[in-house]
Amino acid sequence: MQLADLETPQLILDRERLDRNIERLRTRLAPFGVSLRPHVKTNKSADVTRRLGGTDTPLTVSTLKEAEYFLDHGWRDILYAVGMAPSKLPHAERLIRRGARLTIILDNEETAEAVAAFAGARGLDLPVLIEIDTDGHRSGVRPEDEALLRIGARLRGAPGQGAWLAGVLTHSGESYNCRSHEAIEACAEQERAGAVRAAERLRADGHAAPVVSVGSTPTAHFARSLEGVTEVRAGVYVFFDLVMHGVGVCAVEDIALSVLCTVIGHQREKGWLITDAGWMAMSRDRGTARQPVDQGYGLVCDEAGRLIPDLIMADANQEHGIVRHRGDPALTPMLPVGTLLRIVPNHACATAAQFGAYTVVAGGTEVQANWPRFSGWA
Amino acid sequence: MQLADLETPQLILDRERLDRNIERLRTRLAPFGVSLRPHVKTNKSADVTRRLGGTDTPLTVSTLKEAEYFLDHGWRDILYAVGMAPSKLPHAERLIRRGARLTIILDNEETAEAVAAFAGARGLDLPVLIEIDTDGHRSGVRPEDEALLRIGARLRGAPGQGAWLAGVLTHSGESYNCRSHEAIEACAEQERAGAVRAAERLRADGHAAPVVSVGSTPTAHFARSLEGVTEVRAGVYVFFDLVMHGVGVCAVEDIALSVLCTVIGHQREKGWLITDAGWMAMSRDRGTARQPVDQGYGLVCDEAGRLIPDLIMADANQEHGIVRHRGDPALTPMLPVGTLLRIVPNHACATAAQFGAYTVVAGGTEVQANWPRFSGWA
C-alpha cells in the first residue's frame, strides 16, 4: 500500500528517522554512565516505545492512563512525572497491585502527608521523588528552599514500607527557550547542579535519596556534565519537531513526523492552496511563533517527505489548511487539486495527540505498518 | 456520583445550559422560515446531537467519519461541508449505498469534473453545493466570479442521475472577528446577499439550485434578513465559549463546557496555582489572544461552575496548568492542594476534541450521565 491509497489527513511516521533519533541520544548519553528513562507522553504507543527498548526499559509518563497502558503492554518501571493529586492515589495503588514499580513525584508538604498516610494505611511500597524547580519554569521546590527538608521529613518510610524518599527530579522547561548550543549547555548545568544540590541537602538530612533525575530534549543532547545525575529523561527527541529545530537541537531532515493532506482547492489571486488538514490535524500549537523563524502551522513537503522550499502552512480552520509561499504569495506553486502534501509540525506531542494511529513509512511512500496510539486520561 | 468522585481532568457539560442554547437559536430562527442544519463537528456525539432533534434533523459535518458515525446512529440527511477531495469519493459512495442522503461541496472545476465523472460512472445520486466565498476568509468562489458558471456547467445531472447542482453554500468566517452586534449584522447581510446572488446567477444559467445554505454561530444569532436563504448552519452555539463571548454572542454564564481539574501545587511567591489540566486538556487554542480581553487558556470556576472573579489559566504545559489572578498575582487565592476547579475554554470545538466523553451535569456537581464522543478521520 502507498500513501496515495489513504484517505487524508493521516499522521505519518518515518521509521528510519525515528530509529536514527533514538540511536543518537543513546550514543550521546552512553559515556555518562546514566540511565535513560524516555518520556512516552510524546508517542503514547507501545509500537513506538518498543523501538526505544524492551519492556525492561524504564519509562516516564505524564498520566496514569499512560502508566496503565504501558503496564498492560509489559513495562513495569514507570515514573509518573506530574505532581501527584491525592485523589489519584487509589488509581496508583491499583497499578502497583498489578505489578507496576511506580514512582510518583510531589513538591509540597500537604501532598507528601497525604501520600505517606495513604501508603502507610494501604501497606504500599511507594517510592517518591521531590520535584525541584531549577529554572522558575513551572512547579517544584527550589533547591535551597527550607520546605525541601520539611517535605522530605514527611517521607520517612523505607523501601517496602510505605512512602519513601527515593530522590529528586527536575525538568529544564526553560531550555525550550534557548537559541544557541551554549545557552542549552548553561540550562543543562543549571538543571544538573540544582538537582544534585537538592539531593545533597536531603542526604545530609538523613535520606538515602539515591535517584537524581533530570532532563529535557535540549539539555539531554547538550549537557557537558552529568556528575551526580543517575537518570536522564527526554520525550520529543524520538520524533523531533520545528520547535526543537528552532532551539537548535535537530535539522528539519531529522523530524520523523508529518501530516499527510490533500489539496482541495485554491484562491489563486491570493496565492493560497487549500488543504484538508486544518488545526484539528495539526493541533493549535504555534510554538514557533515565539522563535526567530515563525513556521506558521508547519513546513510543507511533497508526498515523499522532500521539503518544498519556502512553502508553509500559514493558517488553519478546523478542517482546512491554508498553504502559501512564506514571503511572496505570488510565488506559491499552484499544485493541482488532489496533490498530496506532508506538513512538518511545530510540536510533535501536540500534533500526534490529534490522531489515533501512526502510518509508518521508511523514507519513502510505501506504508510499512499502522501503529495505534491512545489518548485521554480516565 | 459527584464530580469530586472523578479523576481529573474531565470534560464537563452542563445540560441545562446546552438545552437553553439550543432553544435560543431555534426560537430565534423560527420566524424566518428557514431550516436549521446544525454543524456537529463541535459536539461529535450522538447524545448531544439528540438534544438538537431526532434523526430527521438535517446535519452538517466536517469529515466523512462524522457522516459515517451519524449515519450509524440513524441520521441520514448529511451535508459534508468541506471541499470534496476526489480521493474521498469511494468513501462517500459507501455512505450513500448505506442510506445516507449525502450532499457534498466544491469550489473548482477540476473537482466538479471528477465528481461528475465518478457519480456518472457509479450511477450515484449526488447533490452538490458550490462553495461561495463571501468574505475572503477561506475557500469558495466569489459570487460574481466567471468560474461560478463554469463549475455549474460541470454539474448538469438531475436528481437521481449523477452529480447535480443542488445550490450554494457559504460561511462567514469573518464574523468571528466582529466586535459588535452591528458588525455581526453586517457580516450576516454580506453572507446572505453573496450566497443569494450566486444562486441567482446559477438559476439564470438554467440550474434549479434550490438550496441557499449560509451560517456561522455569530451570523445565525444576529442576521436581520434571511431572504432567499433556505437553511442556516451553526455549530459552536450548542456549547458557546470564550471566543463567542468575546464576539458578543453569549454571556460567560451561557457557556456549557468546562474542564474539571485539581490543584496539585503552588508557587506561592509568584501567586501561581498549579493544576493537572494543561494544554492537552484545554487544547492549544488561544483564540481570545486576538480579542480585546485575552482570557489566557480560560476563565476559572469553582467545582460548581461559579466564576471566581479575575482568576485565569495563564499558561499551560502538556499536563500542567498555571492559574493566577489576572492582574496582580499577589491576589491569587492560595486554594489548597486537592481543590477542584473548572476551566471555561476559549474554543469549545478544540477543547472538546481533547476528550473521549462528556461528563454531564445539570447545573450542579452531581454527575447525570457520561456521553461518549469520537475523534479522528479514518
Side-chain angles (χ1 to χ4, degrees), chain A residues 88 136 138 270 276 317-318, chain B residues 88 136 138 270 276 317:
Chain A
K88 291 176 180 148
R138 185 167 74 193
K270 295 178 184 168
D276 64 354
N317 292 162
Q318 185 159 335
Chain B
K88 291 176 180 149
R138 185 167 74 193
K270 296 178 184 168
D276 64 354
N317 292 162

Side-chain angles (χ1 to χ4, degrees), chain A residues 277-348:
Chain A
W279 60 252
M280 186 64 85
M282 300 307 299
S283 89
R284 270 291 195 198
D285 200 294
R286 290 280 291 101
T288 56
R290 292 165 296 146
Q291 293 188 326
V293 180
D294 184 344
Q295 312 281 19
Y297 280 90
L299 292 178
V300 181
C301 298
D302 67 12
E303 177 185 351
R306 290 177 296 250
L307 269 178
I308 303 177
D310 294 318
L311 208 58
I312 67 169
M313 180 170 161
D315 208 346
N317 292 162
Q318 185 159 335
E319 299 290 348
H320 296 82
I322 295 176
V323 167
R324 63 166 168 75
H325 189 276
R326 180 196 293 280
D328 179 0
L331 299 178
T332 305
M334 282 293 127
L335 304 169
V337 164
T339 303
L340 291 174
L341 297 173
R342 282 163 65 179
I343 316 292
V344 179
N346 285 319
H347 189 171

Side-chain angles (χ1 to χ4, degrees), chain B residues 131-168:
Chain B
E131 185 177 8
I132 308 300
D133 176 14
T134 50
D135 62 5
H137 186 72
R138 185 167 74 193
S139 39
V141 57
R142 300 293 171 95
E144 300 295 346
D145 198 316
E146 286 182 10
L148 178 67
L149 300 187
R150 292 200 303 271
I151 298 167
R154 305 277 190 182
L155 302 167
R156 289 285 183 189
Q161 298 176 352
W164 56 282
L165 183 63
V168 298

Side-chain angles (χ1 to χ4, degrees), chain A residues 1-8 10 12 260 340 359 367, chain B residues 87:
Chain A
M1 186 183 286
Q2 296 289 321
L3 292 183
D5 300 322
L6 303 173
E7 249 182 83
T8 52
Q10 292 273 345
I12 310 300
L260 184 73
L340 291 174
T359 296
V367 177
Chain B
S87 55

Side-chain angles (χ1 to χ4, degrees), chain B residues 128-130 155 164-168 195-196 198-204 206-213 228 230:
Chain B
V128 178
L129 304 181
I130 299 179
L155 302 167
W164 56 282
L165 183 63
V168 298
V196 169
E200 284 168 353
R201 288 187 65 212
L202 289 162
R203 289 169 191 157
H207 297 277
V211 176
V212 177
S213 177
T230 63

Side-chain angles (χ1 to χ4, degrees), chain A residues 61-119:
Chain A
V61 301
S62 70
T63 66
L64 289 181
K65 179 160 182 179
E66 290 166 42
E68 188 151 8
Y69 168 91
F70 285 102
L71 178 65
D72 288 342
H73 287 79
W75 282 269
R76 299 167 76 91
D77 182 358
I78 298 171
L79 167 63
Y80 171 43
V82 173
M84 192 68 191
S87 56
K88 291 176 180 148
L89 285 165
H91 192 175
E93 179 181 2
R94 291 197 299 276
L95 301 182
I96 294 166
R97 302 260 177 238
R98 290 185 43 216
R101 196 277 194 191
L102 188 73
T103 301
I104 66 170
I105 75 168
L106 52 83
D107 72 351
N108 61 79
E109 288 179 84
E110 304 94 296
T111 306
E113 183 172 352
V115 164
F118 184 88

